[in-house]
Amino acid sequence: MRQRESYLAGCVSVVELARRTSGCLDFAITADLVDAGRINIFERWESQAAVEALRGEGPSDEQGAAMLAAAVDEYDVAEVRSLT
């Protein structure tokens, strides 16, 4: 648990940078509420070009070394309906 909290604390600047990036609609790195060894990353962007502008080379070597596993899925959304 301490390792996860330390990792998340180190991600604050990444979240701040992403949210300031042109085309970023939402960006979050959060602790999973059920699995103590899991971190969830959620990103929402205006375009693929905006995503690529931020990502560049991907996680730093330090972040990559801390990851036990990773799964990345991208979705193209045709329409969004607000339920509020």
Side-chain angles (χ1 to χ4, degrees):
M1 186 83 149
R2 273 180 80 193
Q3 184 178 8
R4 179 174 73 172
E5 296 307 317
S6 175
Y7 181 85
L8 289 171
C11 292
V12 170
S13 62
V14 173
V15 174
E16 291 172 338
L17 172 65
R19 290 181 179 176
R20 286 192 310 265
T21 300
S22 178
C24 180
L25 301 174
D26 195 6
F27 193 99
I29 301 176
T30 61
D32 190 87
L33 295 177
V34 177
D35 184 344
R38 181 175 172 166
I39 293 171
N40 298 307
I41 301 173
F42 175 80
E43 302 177 37
R44 195 163 63 101
W45 297 89
E46 287 181 350
S47 67
Q48 187 66 35
V51 172
E52 292 169 5
L54 175 74
R55 281 202 188 140
E57 301 284 322
S60 68
D61 291 340
E62 184 178 303
Q63 286 179 321
M67 293 180 193
L68 301 177
V72 177
D73 295 312
E74 290 185 2
Y75 298 89
D76 291 319
V77 178
E79 183 180 346
V80 176
R81 290 177 305 280
S82 178
L83 301 177
T84 55

